[in-house]
């Protein structure tokens, strides 16, 4: 018997059990705190102002707890925090202010640990033999599974980006997804009438690819070729891998210059409101055009467009970085998505319902609900047409424009999923949904509430439907 292996197994079990206990202990404290405030407000008959003050205090407390959970436990919790930090269209500001820092400012590895990780991937060569001007203590960005450093190659002095994976991050992430699946089942039964287990399954399927930087290098080359073929590379820059010194856990790439979008607010704060709005809209159009082409024309796209992964250039063109999460779509799914976007653009309620079902989204009305008028839209008679609950659902999931009476928050009484249960959501569409939701968060963060991806993508999906 291999005693060492037995002891290692016991140690891993204890560590896993301790992490599991910590996960449930910390998440249950946040969840129960939320339910307690809900109950307080009802039992104490607080008026609206008193309720708002109590929620503000709670959100400040819970935001700190959630941020600490993400940073301390790392793994998948960082990824969840990143997403929520970009959703100030429905998530309270207290959370977004803290969690948005996880998009590119996760506490990095120590300089000593970073050196060891890089030199391990260099196969025994010292860092100085391959790179110069690499600041170990000052990464350009640090995310959920890796951190990125600027450096120059000793061989030719070219500036490069060095992405180095955190040790043990893959094992931690896979274990976290198992726990998340349990939490998803619980929330699906108690709080959210939405199939959130299928998206977790999709994440589990894709996560192995994200940790293999060889796959990311292949994705970079494929998407760069697609952009070049369509002439879109003039408006969107992505890095190219340097395969000779890249490995499964270290990716060396050409350097993309620009300001991370996370830092843009501070840069444009002092310009006029009119110019700020023009800059915001132009950037949104650049991001949306890039993703419309990748999703509907190429069938392969970078599936994580949060502001930490978008670089803004002087001419307001963009660079996109971090292609660890990429998704391929089948031609049939592209066509069906194009049809859904077209129906949303046209305001065709029955067409939206049909397109959702055609995509494999299975829904069920929770109760008989009267349709509501859409304030922004009038029919030929001058009367406001009615909005079906299923149309609310389609617009909430697959468009970015805000509509009065249609809440983006899954917890709001006006949320579509309080009226229509999503019994089944196709796994292969999760990353499309996620991409649209992140763009919605970016638009809201820029103060552009009337921006619609379905309007902006009209030329692209019309082309797809003609094929």
């Amino acid at each position: 018997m291999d005693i060492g292996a037995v002891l290692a197994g016991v140690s891993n079990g204890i560590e896993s059990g301790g992490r599991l206990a910590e996960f449930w202990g910390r998440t249950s404290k946040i969840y129960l705190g939320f339910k307690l405030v809900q109950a307080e407000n009802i039992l104490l008959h607080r008026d609206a102002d008193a309720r708002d003050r109590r929620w503000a205090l709670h959100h400040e407390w819970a935001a700190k707890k959630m941020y600490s959970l993400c940073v301390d436990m790392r793994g998948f919790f960082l990824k969840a925090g990143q997403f929520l930090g970009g959703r100030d269209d429905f998530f309270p500001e207290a959370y977004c202010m803290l969690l948005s820092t996880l998009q590119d400012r996760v506490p990095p590895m120590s300089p000593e640990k970073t050196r060891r990780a890089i030199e391990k991937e260099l196969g025994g060569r010292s860092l100085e033999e391959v790179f110069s001007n690499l600041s170990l203590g000052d990464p350009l960005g640090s995310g959920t599974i890796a951190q990125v450093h600027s450096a120059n190659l000793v061989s030719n002095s070219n500036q490069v980006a060095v992405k180095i994976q955190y040790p043990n991050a893959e094992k931690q992430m896979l274990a976290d997804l198992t726990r998340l699946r349990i939490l998803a089942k619980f929330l699906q039964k108690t709080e959210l009438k939405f199939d959130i287990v299928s998206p977790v399954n999709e994440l589990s399927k894709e996560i192995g690819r994200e940790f293999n930087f060889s796959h990311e290098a292949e994705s970079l080359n494929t998407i760069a070729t697609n952009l070049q073929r369509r002439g879109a590379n003039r408006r969107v820059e992505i890095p190219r891998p340097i395969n000779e010194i890249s490995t499964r856990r270290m990716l060396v790439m050409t350097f993309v210059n620009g300001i991370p979008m996370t830092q843009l607010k501070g840069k444009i704060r002092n310009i006029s409101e009119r110019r700020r709005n023009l800059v915001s809209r132009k950037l949104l159009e650049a991001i949306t055009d890039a993703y419309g082409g990748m999703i509907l024309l190429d069938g392969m796209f970078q599936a994580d467009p949060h502001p930490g992964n978008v670089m803004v250039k002087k001419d307001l063109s963009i660079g996109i970085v971090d292609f660890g999460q990429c998704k391929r779509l089948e031609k049939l799914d592209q066509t069906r998505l194009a049809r859904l976007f077209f129906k949303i653009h046209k305001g065709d309620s029955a067409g939206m319902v049909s397109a959702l079902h055609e995509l494999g989204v299975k829904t069920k009305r929770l109760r008989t609900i009267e349709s509501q008028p859409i304030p922004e839209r009038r029919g030929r008679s001058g009367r406001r047409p009615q909005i079906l609950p299923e149309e609310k659902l389609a617009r909430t999931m697959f468009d970015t424009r805000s509509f009065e009476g249609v809440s983006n928050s899954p917890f709001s009484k006006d949320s579509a999923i309080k009226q229509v249960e999503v019994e089944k959501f196709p796994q292969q569409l999760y990353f499309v949904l996620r991409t649209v939701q992140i763009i919605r968060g970016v638009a809201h963060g820029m103060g552009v509430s009337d921006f619609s991806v379905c309007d902006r993508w009209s030329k692209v999906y019309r082309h797809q439907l003609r094929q």
Side-chain angles (χ1 to χ4, degrees):
M1 179 183 292
D2 186 343
I3 298 297
V6 172
L7 290 175
V10 172
S11 174
N12 288 340
I14 293 170
E15 181 185 343
S16 176
R19 187 170 168 82
L20 182 61
E22 184 181 1
F23 163 70
W24 284 114
R26 295 174 78 161
T27 53
S28 61
K29 188 177 289 186
I30 294 168
Y31 176 76
L32 291 173
F34 172 78
K35 302 304 286 186
L36 178 63
V37 176
Q38 269 188 337
E40 274 182 21
N41 285 336
I42 294 169
L43 293 172
L44 298 177
H45 304 289
R46 288 177 174 143
D47 61 26
D49 288 342
R51 286 198 302 270
D52 288 346
R53 288 194 298 272
R54 182 65 184 93
W55 276 121
L57 286 171
H58 172 76
H59 292 327
E60 189 175 339
W61 170 85
K64 291 174 183 175
K65 293 289 183 186
M66 197 174 289
Y67 175 83
S68 296
L69 183 150
C70 294
V71 170
D72 294 346
M73 298 194 73
R74 300 181 78 92
F76 185 80
F77 304 105
L78 287 174
K79 197 168 285 294
Q82 273 186 348
F83 177 76
L84 293 173
R87 295 306 309 278
D88 58 358
D89 55 322
F90 77 81
F91 215 44
E93 184 181 6
Y95 298 90
C96 293
M97 283 181 65
L98 276 177
L99 296 179
S100 64
T101 64
L102 300 176
Q103 292 170 352
D104 60 357
R105 283 176 281 158
V106 173
M109 294 186 284
S110 68
E112 297 77 17
K113 197 170 184 179
T114 303
R115 174 182 284 276
R116 285 197 300 272
I118 291 174
E119 290 185 341
K120 182 178 179 182
E121 300 308 309
L122 290 175
R125 288 180 291 176
S126 72
L127 184 150
E128 287 77 12
E129 288 180 69
V130 181
F131 303 113
S132 63
N133 302 319
L134 194 156
S135 176
L136 292 168
D138 186 25
L140 290 172
S142 44
T144 53
I145 73 168
Q147 59 192 52
V148 180
H149 295 259
S150 170
N152 295 90
L153 295 177
V154 169
S155 59
N156 57 18
S157 300
N158 287 347
Q159 188 178 13
V160 293
V162 182
K163 180 178 180 179
I164 184 69
Q165 196 174 123
Y166 303 134
N168 301 319
E170 183 174 8
K171 176 185 170 185
Q172 212 172 63
M173 186 81 78
L174 291 171
D176 289 343
L177 282 167
T178 301
R179 294 163 194 136
L180 188 68
R181 191 177 285 107
I182 298 169
L183 180 62
K185 288 178 180 177
F186 171 74
L187 289 174
Q188 195 168 310
K189 286 181 179 179
T190 59
E191 298 291 340
L192 300 173
K193 297 301 180 183
F194 191 97
D195 175 17
I196 51 177
V197 175
S198 292
V200 174
N201 291 335
E202 177 71 1
L203 278 168
S204 300
K205 187 177 77 175
E206 294 292 330
I207 210 71
R209 291 182 62 84
E210 186 173 2
F211 279 94
N212 187 343
F213 289 172
S214 300
H215 288 306
E216 183 170 353
E218 291 172 11
S219 297
L220 284 169
N221 282 328
T222 300
I223 291 176
T225 300
N226 290 338
L227 292 175
Q228 192 168 9
R229 187 187 69 247
R230 293 191 283 106
N233 58 317
R234 294 189 297 272
R235 301 182 300 277
V236 183
E237 182 184 2
I238 67 171
R240 301 301 292 262
I242 301 170
N243 294 320
E244 311 87 75
I245 46 177
S246 294
T247 67
R248 188 182 187 280
R249 294 183 178 85
M250 183 175 76
L251 180 59
V252 183
M253 304 161 280
T254 55
F255 193 84
V256 175
N257 280 297
I259 301 168
M261 206 164 176
T262 48
Q263 300 175 19
L264 188 66
K265 278 187 180 179
K267 301 287 184 182
I268 64 173
R269 185 179 294 127
N270 296 323
I271 65 176
S272 69
E273 183 179 355
R274 178 178 173 278
R275 178 150 176 75
R276 192 163 58 244
N277 290 339
L278 285 172
V279 168
S280 297
R281 194 168 289 275
K282 187 165 184 179
L283 282 174
L284 271 173
E285 290 172 354
I287 295 167
T288 305
D289 290 350
Y291 279 88
M294 285 189 281
I295 291 169
L296 293 169
L297 298 179
D298 304 333
M300 184 174 180
F301 62 101
Q302 191 263 28
D304 198 13
H306 69 70
N309 287 339
V310 178
M311 310 298 290
V312 181
K313 297 176 171 294
K314 288 182 179 179
D315 62 355
L316 296 184
S317 63
I318 60 170
I320 301 175
V321 298
D322 191 356
F323 284 70
Q325 284 192 346
C326 287
K327 181 65 182 174
R328 290 183 183 273
L329 290 173
E330 297 294 332
K331 182 70 175 175
L332 183 59
D333 285 327
Q334 286 180 280
T335 303
R336 288 173 172 172
L337 279 167
R339 192 169 292 122
L340 174 61
F341 294 138
F342 175 67
K343 297 300 183 183
I344 293 173
H345 170 69
K346 297 294 288 183
D348 180 349
S349 294
M352 291 181 219
V353 176
S354 175
L356 278 177
H357 291 166
E358 191 178 48
L359 278 164
V361 180
K362 187 178 178 183
T363 62
K364 181 179 76 174
R365 285 207 188 178
L366 296 174
R367 59 184 185 275
T368 304
I369 301 162
E370 290 185 10
S371 299
Q372 298 174 344
I374 306 175
E376 288 87 347
R377 201 172 72 203
R378 290 183 182 271
R380 289 182 181 178
S381 65
R383 290 181 300 180
R384 290 169 177 169
Q386 303 297 301
I387 179 168
L388 299 172
E390 292 82 2
E391 179 179 352
K392 278 189 180 184
L393 184 72
R395 290 183 179 279
T396 302
M397 290 198 298
F398 290 105
D399 198 11
T400 54
R401 176 183 285 140
S402 296
F403 274 86
E404 187 180 326
V406 181
S407 174
N408 300 327
S409 171
F411 302 103
S412 168
K413 63 181 177 61
D414 295 321
S415 168
I417 60 174
K418 296 293 185 183
Q419 302 171 355
V420 181
E421 179 178 358
V422 179
E423 296 181 304
K424 184 67 179 174
F425 188 82
Q427 285 185 208
Q428 73 274 16
L429 297 184
Y430 165 67
F431 283 109
V432 178
L433 171 66
R434 183 170 182 262
T435 297
V436 173
Q437 294 302 309
I438 292 174
I439 294 174
R440 179 200 288 275
V442 171
H444 189 273
M446 290 180 158
V448 186
S449 61
D450 63 340
F451 186 81
S452 166
V453 294
C454 291
D455 290 353
R456 187 69 190 176
W457 285 344
S458 62
K459 287 183 181 178
V460 183
Y461 56 65
R462 288 174 195 273
H463 175 80
Q464 175 63 243
L465 291 172
R466 283 196 299 268
Q467 291 185 331

